[in-house]
Amino acid sequence: MKTLLLFPALLAASFLQAQNIPFIKADQIIRWKSADNDTVYVLNFWATWCGPCVEELPSFEKLNQVYADRKVKVILISTDFKRNVENVVKPFVQRKNLKSEVVFMDESNPNNFINLVDTTWSGAIPATLILSKRKNSVQFFEKKMTYKDLEAAVKKAL
């Protein structure tokens, strides 16, 4: 009987520790692009249903860990359906134990943010934007990234 009572308590505790996933609008991209600081922003656009996106997540997590003591900020921007944030995205983030910041792009029309990211972006994911205001560097990749690719781009931006 004690085991039956303990299970719901453990389950509830695990949900309490789940990462909060803020909703952002397209103008947040403008703020990251124009941030007047020496932080390198690594913005990855992904979705839970996208196989290549899920495959590359460990590379972003490794980058986040390796560069934790540098001014590098990894932000994973979910483009899943809004209705799936609570029951799909949050459990996915928890199950994969993602430590990078995860946000949800709260725009019903992708055209509201695609051109803000990069005018060459077709809208396909995965896609990654690496920004460095200090170096006046903007790098855009519309492909699955390896850790080696990411690290080379970040080193260029630092």
Side-chain angles (χ1 to χ4, degrees), residues 13 29 41 53 65 68 101 106-107 112 123 130 147:
I29 294 166
Y41 293 95
C53 300
Q65 182 180 20
E101 182 178 353
D106 187 20
E107 292 287 352
N112 291 343
I130 300 176
Y147 179 75

PDB file of all heavy atoms in Angstrom, residues 13 29 41 53 65 68 101 106-107 112 123 130 147:
ATOM      1  N   ALA A  13       6.028  15.125  -8.040  1.00  0.00           N
ATOM      2  CA  ALA A  13       7.303  15.826  -7.844  1.00  0.00           C
ATOM      3  C   ALA A  13       8.059  15.959  -9.158  1.00  0.00           C
ATOM      4  O   ALA A  13       8.679  16.990  -9.433  1.00  0.00           O
ATOM      5  CB  ALA A  13       8.151  15.093  -6.814  1.00  0.00           C
ATOM      6  N   ILE A  29      12.962  37.679 -31.591  1.00  0.00           N
ATOM      7  CA  ILE A  29      14.087  37.457 -32.506  1.00  0.00           C
ATOM      8  C   ILE A  29      14.792  38.782 -32.775  1.00  0.00           C
ATOM      9  O   ILE A  29      16.028  38.851 -32.772  1.00  0.00           O
ATOM     10  CB  ILE A  29      13.613  36.787 -33.810  1.00  0.00           C
ATOM     11  CG1 ILE A  29      13.120  35.379 -33.495  1.00  0.00           C
ATOM     12  CG2 ILE A  29      14.735  36.749 -34.841  1.00  0.00           C
ATOM     13  CD1 ILE A  29      12.338  34.720 -34.593  1.00  0.00           C
ATOM     14  N   TYR A  41      24.412  34.210 -29.202  1.00  0.00           N
ATOM     15  CA  TYR A  41      23.121  33.518 -29.128  1.00  0.00           C
ATOM     16  C   TYR A  41      23.088  32.417 -30.175  1.00  0.00           C
ATOM     17  O   TYR A  41      23.349  32.659 -31.354  1.00  0.00           O
ATOM     18  CB  TYR A  41      21.964  34.491 -29.364  1.00  0.00           C
ATOM     19  CG  TYR A  41      21.815  35.505 -28.255  1.00  0.00           C
ATOM     20  CD1 TYR A  41      22.404  36.756 -28.352  1.00  0.00           C
ATOM     21  CD2 TYR A  41      21.107  35.198 -27.108  1.00  0.00           C
ATOM     22  CE1 TYR A  41      22.283  37.688 -27.338  1.00  0.00           C
ATOM     23  CE2 TYR A  41      20.982  36.120 -26.076  1.00  0.00           C
ATOM     24  CZ  TYR A  41      21.574  37.364 -26.196  1.00  0.00           C
ATOM     25  OH  TYR A  41      21.463  38.274 -25.181  1.00  0.00           O
ATOM     26  N   CYS A  53      15.709  17.062 -36.158  1.00  0.00           N
ATOM     27  CA  CYS A  53      15.765  18.009 -35.034  1.00  0.00           C
ATOM     28  C   CYS A  53      16.104  17.266 -33.739  1.00  0.00           C
ATOM     29  O   CYS A  53      16.975  17.688 -32.974  1.00  0.00           O
ATOM     30  CB  CYS A  53      14.418  18.709 -34.843  1.00  0.00           C
ATOM     31  SG  CYS A  53      13.839  19.669 -36.246  1.00  0.00           S
ATOM     32  N   GLN A  65      26.691  22.790 -22.432  1.00  0.00           N
ATOM     33  CA  GLN A  65      27.499  22.357 -21.289  1.00  0.00           C
ATOM     34  C   GLN A  65      28.960  22.801 -21.441  1.00  0.00           C
ATOM     35  O   GLN A  65      29.540  23.356 -20.522  1.00  0.00           O
ATOM     36  CB  GLN A  65      27.423  20.838 -21.149  1.00  0.00           C
ATOM     37  CG  GLN A  65      28.184  20.305 -19.964  1.00  0.00           C
ATOM     38  CD  GLN A  65      28.081  18.796 -19.857  1.00  0.00           C
ATOM     39  OE1 GLN A  65      27.761  18.113 -20.823  1.00  0.00           O
ATOM     40  NE2 GLN A  65      28.368  18.270 -18.683  1.00  0.00           N
ATOM     41  N   ALA A  68      29.354  26.602 -21.005  1.00  0.00           N
ATOM     42  CA  ALA A  68      28.593  27.148 -19.883  1.00  0.00           C
ATOM     43  C   ALA A  68      29.315  28.305 -19.199  1.00  0.00           C
ATOM     44  O   ALA A  68      28.674  29.221 -18.684  1.00  0.00           O
ATOM     45  CB  ALA A  68      28.282  26.051 -18.870  1.00  0.00           C
ATOM     46  N   GLU A 101      17.910  26.352 -22.537  1.00  0.00           N
ATOM     47  CA  GLU A 101      16.632  27.052 -22.427  1.00  0.00           C
ATOM     48  C   GLU A 101      15.732  26.641 -23.588  1.00  0.00           C
ATOM     49  O   GLU A 101      16.164  26.614 -24.740  1.00  0.00           O
ATOM     50  CB  GLU A 101      16.853  28.563 -22.450  1.00  0.00           C
ATOM     51  CG  GLU A 101      15.576  29.346 -22.299  1.00  0.00           C
ATOM     52  CD  GLU A 101      15.773  30.854 -22.280  1.00  0.00           C
ATOM     53  OE1 GLU A 101      16.930  31.317 -22.261  1.00  0.00           O
ATOM     54  OE2 GLU A 101      14.755  31.561 -22.303  1.00  0.00           O
ATOM     55  N   ASP A 106       5.296  31.367 -30.382  1.00  0.00           N
ATOM     56  CA  ASP A 106       3.847  31.538 -30.337  1.00  0.00           C
ATOM     57  C   ASP A 106       3.365  32.451 -31.468  1.00  0.00           C
ATOM     58  O   ASP A 106       2.903  33.558 -31.249  1.00  0.00           O
ATOM     59  CB  ASP A 106       3.444  32.116 -28.979  1.00  0.00           C
ATOM     60  CG  ASP A 106       1.941  32.166 -28.796  1.00  0.00           C
ATOM     61  OD1 ASP A 106       1.218  31.442 -29.511  1.00  0.00           O
ATOM     62  OD2 ASP A 106       1.478  32.940 -27.934  1.00  0.00           O
ATOM     63  N   GLU A 107       3.526  31.967 -32.672  1.00  0.00           N
ATOM     64  CA  GLU A 107       3.034  32.679 -33.856  1.00  0.00           C
ATOM     65  C   GLU A 107       2.225  31.687 -34.678  1.00  0.00           C
ATOM     66  O   GLU A 107       2.711  30.619 -35.019  1.00  0.00           O
ATOM     67  CB  GLU A 107       4.196  33.222 -34.698  1.00  0.00           C
ATOM     68  CG  GLU A 107       4.985  34.331 -34.036  1.00  0.00           C
ATOM     69  CD  GLU A 107       4.240  35.661 -33.978  1.00  0.00           C
ATOM     70  OE1 GLU A 107       3.152  35.793 -34.583  1.00  0.00           O
ATOM     71  OE2 GLU A 107       4.751  36.572 -33.308  1.00  0.00           O
ATOM     72  N   ASN A 112       5.438  35.147 -39.968  1.00  0.00           N
ATOM     73  CA  ASN A 112       5.665  36.256 -39.042  1.00  0.00           C
ATOM     74  C   ASN A 112       7.085  36.265 -38.488  1.00  0.00           C
ATOM     75  O   ASN A 112       7.536  37.286 -37.995  1.00  0.00           O
ATOM     76  CB  ASN A 112       4.666  36.210 -37.884  1.00  0.00           C
ATOM     77  CG  ASN A 112       3.256  36.518 -38.335  1.00  0.00           C
ATOM     78  OD1 ASN A 112       3.045  37.064 -39.412  1.00  0.00           O
ATOM     79  ND2 ASN A 112       2.295  36.163 -37.519  1.00  0.00           N
ATOM     80  N   GLY A 123      11.888  27.935 -44.316  1.00  0.00           N
ATOM     81  CA  GLY A 123      10.948  27.564 -43.254  1.00  0.00           C
ATOM     82  C   GLY A 123      11.133  26.134 -42.802  1.00  0.00           C
ATOM     83  O   GLY A 123      10.510  25.692 -41.834  1.00  0.00           O
ATOM     84  N   ILE A 130      23.045  31.745 -35.425  1.00  0.00           N
ATOM     85  CA  ILE A 130      24.077  32.046 -34.433  1.00  0.00           C
ATOM     86  C   ILE A 130      24.440  33.517 -34.594  1.00  0.00           C
ATOM     87  O   ILE A 130      24.875  33.942 -35.662  1.00  0.00           O
ATOM     88  CB  ILE A 130      25.289  31.120 -34.588  1.00  0.00           C
ATOM     89  CG1 ILE A 130      24.831  29.661 -34.403  1.00  0.00           C
ATOM     90  CG2 ILE A 130      26.391  31.495 -33.584  1.00  0.00           C
ATOM     91  CD1 ILE A 130      25.903  28.619 -34.616  1.00  0.00           C
ATOM     92  N   TYR A 147      27.895  18.496 -33.631  1.00  0.00           N
ATOM     93  CA  TYR A 147      28.592  19.271 -32.615  1.00  0.00           C
ATOM     94  C   TYR A 147      29.783  19.998 -33.235  1.00  0.00           C
ATOM     95  O   TYR A 147      30.040  21.163 -32.922  1.00  0.00           O
ATOM     96  CB  TYR A 147      29.057  18.390 -31.449  1.00  0.00           C
ATOM     97  CG  TYR A 147      29.794  19.206 -30.426  1.00  0.00           C
ATOM     98  CD1 TYR A 147      29.097  20.054 -29.569  1.00  0.00           C
ATOM     99  CD2 TYR A 147      31.184  19.203 -30.364  1.00  0.00           C
ATOM    100  CE1 TYR A 147      29.760  20.870 -28.667  1.00  0.00           C
ATOM    101  CE2 TYR A 147      31.857  20.003 -29.462  1.00  0.00           C
ATOM    102  CZ  TYR A 147      31.135  20.835 -28.616  1.00  0.00           C
ATOM    103  OH  TYR A 147      31.810  21.645 -27.730  1.00  0.00           O
TER     104      TYR A 147
END
